[in-house]
Amino acid sequence: MAPRQTKAPLKTFPDRTLVVDNGAYSIKAGYASENPNPDQDCHIIPNCIARSRDKRVYVAAQLDECKDFGEMAFRRPIEKGYLVNWEAEKEIWEQSFFDPNSKLRCDPGETNLVLTEAPNAPQALQANCDQMVFEEFEFAAYYRCTGTSLQAYNKAAESTSRISELPVECMLVIDSGYSHTTVTPLYQGHPVQSAIRRLDIGGKFLTNYLKELISIRHFGLMDEPYIVNEIKEKVCYVSCDFQRDLDRTWKHRKSDKGASSLILDYVLPDYDGQAEGSARPHDSSTAAKMARLGAASGAGSGPKEDVFPLGNERFVVPELLFTPNDIGLKQAGLPQMVMQSLAAVPDNVRPAMMANMVVVGGNAQIPGFLERLYVSPYSFAALKSSHNMQRIGNKAVITS
């Protein structure tokens, strides 16, 4: 009689799991725990390699040490939402996760990895990612998924507080990030692939558009992506009545008192005495205009300030998320994307999707973003009578 073969023991996974949301602008990473505290457990790391005008190179979190962002050049490993440059990403990961001084330092052989990607990523890029994780970094275990699918496990987006009730059965995730904007329906935590909709406009596109407007009208800031991104975050907003605000700011109409509240003066940083730019109420006096002209030409006395007014630039730029046709981009705006996505899901789950919408991403932090979604006749008009929209932390949800 042949000897009985013994079964190979089941492989046990390490107790430590590193969750990495590998975004185009920043990496959100932390270790999984039963009682997570987002403020302490989650770390936000710039996903870039930057070079200053004095030729100093900053990798990932080293960017926090920089004091002068003038003419800063950035190299980002993610383009259009997809990881295409593992040479740069490897250097960023090594500094963020394997450096002895890193807060998230880990031993890959004793760590599980949960890594996010954009929806509908090309198969070749997925295979390349798998190869890097296992062969280059040698993590013990690895799970790759879309970033939006993890929202179904977010207790903040659901009334329940019991993990056993997760994932949420039905959810519609609106994710407007740095590279693009997507609308993803989730069923039992899995994306409904045929109903995913994408808009090729994100925070990077908005920043580049604002650079062009400011460079044409005021100062040449085409080589200042960091400063322009800072301007966008501080002064831009989404208008709920675009035509009204556009008429108010047209040629600085003095007859409309409401126009004065829409126009701001922005003071550029000089990185000597002022490390950050700042916005202040617009001064339309002749003396202020002469002071701005004097600063631009180098004439005049007193402290020099590079100041310029911002009017319709404040809301024309984020308007592209809702009406990309304004610049000739033949894609549906965000409200139409929501309707197209809902129309593509089965009829029996559509009401549940409409009752549980989650808005995430950096662009969702632009003032007026949620209000514009709520008043849009294309997407949320039918929800007004029975649903409310509210913000939870850095996210927003619509609940019944």
Side-chain angles (χ1 to χ4, degrees):
M1 178 183 294
R4 180 180 298 177
Q5 294 181 354
T6 59
K7 294 183 178 180
L10 295 177
K11 182 179 180 180
T12 59
F13 295 105
D15 296 331
R16 207 178 194 196
T17 299
L18 177 64
V19 182
V20 178
D21 183 5
N22 208 59
Y25 186 78
S26 61
I27 298 173
K28 283 72 67 178
Y31 289 100
S33 62
E34 294 184 0
N35 299 304
N37 184 343
D39 295 332
Q40 297 180 359
D41 299 337
C42 182
H43 299 265
I44 300 178
I45 306 166
N47 195 9
C48 65
I49 299 175
R51 186 182 67 180
S52 62
R53 51 186 162 192
D54 59 0
K55 307 303 181 182
R56 181 177 176 182
V57 177
Y58 301 89
V59 180
Q62 295 176 352
L63 194 61
D64 297 336
E65 304 171 3
C66 182
K67 303 300 181 183
D68 184 353
F69 291 93
E71 300 179 11
M72 181 75 75
F74 292 92
R75 182 186 181 192
R76 301 189 183 275
I78 294 182
E79 293 289 341
K80 297 184 178 180
Y82 303 121
L83 180 51
V84 297
N85 188 344
W86 265 107
E87 180 183 358
E89 193 67 81
K90 181 175 180 290
E91 188 172 353
I92 293 169
W93 278 27
E94 287 177 345
Q95 201 282 331
S96 302
F97 304 133
F98 310 124
D99 187 88
N101 298 323
S102 173
K103 296 180 180 178
L104 294 172
R105 183 175 181 238
C106 70
D107 179 4
E110 299 296 329
T111 306
N112 307 314
L113 175 66
V114 176
L115 179 65
T116 67
E117 64 176 1
N120 299 326
Q123 189 174 1
L125 296 181
Q126 291 178 328
N128 191 28
C129 180
D130 298 343
Q131 181 179 357
M132 290 295 298
V133 169
F134 280 123
E135 298 184 9
E136 183 69 31
F137 297 109
E138 299 182 347
F139 279 93
Y142 162 58
Y143 177 68
R144 171 172 45 78
C145 62
T146 62
T148 52
S149 63
L150 295 182
Q151 295 300 328
Y153 297 87
N154 185 356
K155 291 188 293 183
E158 179 67 10
S159 58
T160 180
S161 60
R162 291 177 290 181
I163 296 180
S164 61
E165 297 183 12
L166 300 176
V168 179
E169 183 177 13
C170 294
M171 175 182 289
L172 187 74
V173 180
I174 302 170
D175 184 0
S176 186
Y178 184 71
S179 295
H180 60 277
T181 299
T182 57
V183 177
T184 307
L186 301 176
Y187 182 74
Q188 296 289 358
H190 299 284
V192 182
Q193 297 291 343
S194 60
I196 296 176
R197 296 294 181 268
R198 170 180 168 129
L199 172 64
D200 293 326
I201 293 180
K204 180 180 180 180
F205 194 102
L206 301 182
T207 299
N208 289 338
Y209 186 52
L210 183 59
K211 275 197 302 185
E212 293 181 5
L213 293 181
I214 294 177
S215 298
I216 293 172
R217 300 177 181 180
H218 307 292
F219 283 87
L221 297 180
M222 294 302 294
D223 296 329
E224 302 287 358
Y226 185 90
I227 294 177
V228 177
N229 188 73
E230 190 178 61
I231 295 173
K232 180 191 69 177
E233 293 178 350
K234 288 186 176 182
V235 306
C236 283
Y237 73 95
V238 178
S239 174
C240 289
D241 193 336
F242 180 78
Q243 192 59 48
R244 180 200 62 188
D245 288 350
L246 191 63
D247 291 340
R248 281 182 168 182
T249 56
W250 181 250
K251 294 183 179 179
H252 299 188
R253 291 184 176 177
K254 298 180 179 180
S255 58
D256 189 349
K257 296 181 179 180
S260 59
S261 62
L262 299 180
I263 303 173
L264 296 175
D265 286 340
Y266 194 86
V267 183
L268 291 173
D270 57 15
Y271 297 113
D272 289 330
Q274 183 178 345
E276 289 188 6
S278 61
R280 64 191 184 195
H282 177 59
D283 187 353
S284 59
S285 65
T286 303
K289 293 179 181 179
M290 295 303 296
R292 289 196 294 267
L293 292 174
S297 62
S301 59
K304 300 295 189 301
E305 287 183 335
D306 290 329
V307 186
F308 57 90
L310 288 171
N312 58 28
E313 299 94 342
R314 297 181 60 201
F315 55 88
V316 165
V317 171
E319 180 67 19
L320 297 181
L321 291 168
F322 299 87
T323 55
N325 288 332
D326 287 352
I327 56 171
L329 188 61
K330 296 181 180 180
Q331 294 188 26
L334 186 53
Q336 293 90 336
M337 288 169 56
V338 172
M339 293 303 295
Q340 292 174 4
S341 181
L342 288 171
V345 301
D347 295 341
N348 58 335
V349 300
R350 189 174 301 137
M353 296 284 184
M354 295 175 67
N356 195 18
M357 295 186 181
V358 180
V359 182
V360 298
N363 296 326
Q365 305 304 311
I366 300 177
F369 185 91
L370 300 180
E371 291 77 5
R372 176 62 178 274
L373 281 177
Y374 192 72
V375 303
S376 172
Y378 294 99
S379 55
F380 296 106
L383 304 177
K384 293 181 182 178
S385 60
S386 59
H387 300 81
N388 295 315
M389 178 180 289
Q390 58 181 346
R391 186 184 295 273
I392 299 179
N394 291 331
K395 304 175 179 63
V397 300
I398 298 178
T399 57
S400 55

